[in-house]
Every structure is written in structure tokens, then in C-alpha cells.
């Protein structure tokens, strides 16, 4: 089960030579994954089709955090000979900012907001 495997993965994460931010990223990804139905599945039952049906309450960047974590977990499962082959995990499309405020635009926006009270 993925939930049982997560204990081993998180133990590995504690001892792995990874950057602190990477470890935090994977822990956050697991927190998002843990809220889905996939945690009750066996590792060999997790397929690309199953992964594509996952729904996350966070933004697409948060969903991609969970998907990257799942991808890393499945590849570790393959490396540890728990599954034969890890499925491909496609990430969601992320959209960047379409507008960035400069100092002048921010001042006008704050003045307008103050005028509205």
C-alpha cells in the first residue's frame, strides 16, 4: 500500500543527502497526496491512468508538487525492487503571472483602495 510505503519513503527522506528545501517540498507533496484515494492502493496498481484522475484542492503548482512527490516515490519503489516499473506521471499545466505591478502602478492601486476606504 502507498500509505505503508510512505513510511519507508519518509524515513529515507530524513537520511538522504538532499537539500533541506527539497525535503520540505517532498513532505508537502506527501501531505497533499495523503488526502487522495490513491493512498489505499498497492504500488503496483498505481498507473498513469489512475494518476491522471487525481484531484487536488490546491493550485496547479501545488498539484504538481504532489505529482512530483508521487513520481519520486514510485521511482524509489522501483529502485527498491517493490515494483517492476514506475508509471509515467504527467504534470499539470502551470500558468505564470500575466501582469506584474511596477512601483507606480502599485502606488496608484493603493491610493485607489484608500479612497474607497
Amino acid at each position: 500500500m502507498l500509505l505503508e510505503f510512505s513510511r519507508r519513503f519518509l524515513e529515507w527522506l530524513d537520511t538522504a543527502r538532499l537539500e533541506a528545501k527539497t525535503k520540505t517540498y517532498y513532505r508537502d507533496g506527501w501531505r497533499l497526496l495523503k488526502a487522495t484515494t490513491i493512498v489505499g492502493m498497492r504500488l503496483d496498481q498505481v498507473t498513469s491512468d489512475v494518476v491522471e484522475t487525481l484531484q487536488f484542492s490546491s493550485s496547479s503548482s501545488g498539484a504538481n508538487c504532489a505529482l512530483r512527490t508521487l513520481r519520486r516515490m514510485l521511482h524509489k519503489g522501483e529502485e527498491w525492487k517493490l515494483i517492476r516499473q514506475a508509471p509515467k506521471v504527467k504534470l499539470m499545466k502551470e500558468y505564470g503571472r500575466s501582469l506584474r505591478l511596477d512601483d507606480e502602478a502599485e502606488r496608484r492601486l493603493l491610493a485607489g483602495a484608500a479612497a474607497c476606504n
Side-chain angles (χ1 to χ4, degrees):
M1 297 290 194
L2 189 62
L3 184 60
E4 294 168 6
F5 176 72
S6 70
R7 292 183 192 102
R8 182 174 175 185
F9 177 78
L10 293 172
E11 287 173 5
W12 167 81
L13 195 59
D14 290 335
T15 60
R17 287 184 294 164
L18 297 172
E19 296 290 327
K21 286 188 176 186
T22 302
K23 291 179 179 186
T24 302
Y25 187 82
Y26 285 142
R27 283 190 191 94
D28 191 41
W30 173 247
R31 180 186 55 79
L32 294 169
L33 277 172
K34 177 165 80 165
T36 65
T37 58
I38 200 170
V39 295
M41 296 182 74
R42 290 183 6 190
L43 285 177
D44 60 348
Q45 291 177 329
V46 178
T47 63
S48 297
D49 291 336
V50 170
V51 173
E52 287 177 6
T53 64
L54 291 176
Q55 300 275 328
F56 298 98
S57 60
S58 60
S59 65
S60 57
S61 63
N64 282 341
C65 174
L67 293 173
R68 283 186 184 104
T69 302
L70 178 62
R71 181 167 52 193
R72 181 65 179 249
M73 290 175 79
L74 292 171
H75 279 97
K76 286 312 265 182
E78 181 181 6
E79 184 180 316
W80 293 335
K81 309 267 189 260
L82 299 174
I83 56 175
R84 188 173 299 155
Q85 184 176 2
K88 294 195 182 293
V89 176
K90 293 181 182 178
L91 301 178
M92 297 180 75
K93 179 128 175 96
E94 291 186 42
Y95 298 97
R97 294 182 182 157
S98 58
L99 174 67
R100 184 168 179 189
L101 296 178
D102 58 6
D103 290 338
E104 177 59 30
E106 184 180 7
R107 273 194 293 277
R108 288 187 304 191
L109 187 61
L110 290 173
C116 292
N117 202 9

